[in-house]
Amino acid sequence: MLNPQAALARRPDRVLVAGGSGAGKTTVADKCAGLLALPRIELDELYYESGWRVRPEFPQEVARAAGQPRWVTEWHYPEVATVLARRADLLIWLDYPVRTTMTSLVLRTLLRSLHKEVLWSGNQEPPLRSVFTDPENILRYGWATRHSASDQVRALARDAPDIELDVLRFTRPADLSGWLLRLAGTLPAPASSGPHTTERSTGASGLR
């Protein structure tokens, strides 16, 4: 586990952002893409087609994207978790209290619904009343999976000890904001060329 107060020893090339629904994974991934000049992979865009249907080619498209040399993306679909973790060199873990993530999720869902925001593949949030009728409503899903991100990160150390992955864990949004500000001012110089040979400072097994 890396120390969030310390500067990164090297510039990461492939970054995952983990956290529960409402933790702000998309926002953090967008910010890291800008600060680290990394191509952005939007997993939800690869996952959904119109009508909130799942794209059958999703695992193959993620594997293809993960094979690229540099990227940043969210980490929340179990079916592609391992392939992404095997390629990533940094995991940013937004391990916030449930009250924090659920409050954010409720506000986000309310705004999207009221503004009829168009999401991936032209989809929109269903009416708010669907929380009472739809078992897959995002608020019900967020509550049912409120511990899934933590379980998934810890399972990585238990089930795939061979994966070497630097981990930054944040338990408060304020700590993350401070780290992003420091990141903006203390980035190491980009690698010039050739293969990357720097050893990783820690591994996923350090979570145990």
Side-chain angles (χ1 to χ4, degrees), residues 91-168:
L91 172 68
I92 299 173
W93 180 14
L94 311 179
D95 191 22
Y96 300 154
V98 173
R99 64 179 179 276
T100 300
T101 57
M102 286 304 300
T103 298
S104 175
L105 184 61
V106 168
L107 291 174
R108 186 187 75 186
T109 303
L110 177 63
L111 290 173
R112 282 179 174 177
S113 182
L114 290 176
H115 295 159
K116 301 186 184 303
E117 183 178 347
V118 177
L119 303 170
W120 316 276
S121 301
N123 293 305
Q124 292 180 299
E125 294 280 8
L128 292 175
R129 63 179 179 275
S130 69
V131 70
F132 301 108
T133 60
D134 183 2
E136 295 186 1
N137 177 276
I138 185 60
L139 297 180
R140 294 173 67 169
Y141 173 84
W143 178 256
T145 61
R146 61 195 182 276
H147 300 304
S148 294
S150 295
D151 293 342
Q152 188 174 338
V153 173
R154 291 191 169 95
L156 185 67
R158 182 187 67 242
D159 300 335
D162 59 312
I163 294 180
E164 294 183 353
L165 184 63
D166 289 344
V167 179
L168 278 168

Side-chain angles (χ1 to χ4, degrees), residues 10-34:
R10 61 190 178 92
R11 177 184 289 257
D13 291 320
R14 293 171 298 279
V15 179
L16 292 174
V17 184
S21 297
K25 296 184 295 296
T26 297
T27 299
V28 174
D30 288 344
K31 289 181 178 179
C32 286

Side-chain angles (χ1 to χ4, degrees), residues 51-116:
W52 293 108
R53 295 185 297 272
V54 178
R55 296 183 187 275
E57 64 274 18
F58 173 68
Q60 293 77 18
E61 290 194 2
V62 171
R64 189 179 307 114
Q68 298 302 309
R70 305 179 70 249
W71 44 258
V72 57
T73 192
E74 306 91 343
W75 197 57
H76 57 184
Y77 288 109
E79 59 266 46
V80 295
T82 301
V83 68
L84 287 170
R86 288 192 183 281
R87 283 288 296 154
D89 47 31
L90 176 66
L91 172 68
I92 299 173
W93 180 14
L94 311 179
D95 191 22
Y96 300 154
V98 173
R99 64 179 179 276
T100 300
T101 57
M102 286 304 300
T103 298
S104 175
L105 184 61
V106 168
L107 291 174
R108 186 187 75 186
T109 303
L110 177 63
L111 290 173
R112 282 179 174 177
S113 182
L114 290 176
H115 295 159
K116 301 186 184 303

Side-chain angles (χ1 to χ4, degrees), residues 172-193:
R172 300 189 312 156
D175 294 336
L176 172 71
S177 297
W179 180 78
L180 288 170
L181 289 172
R182 292 191 297 275
L183 180 68
T186 61
L187 283 176
S192 54
S193 61

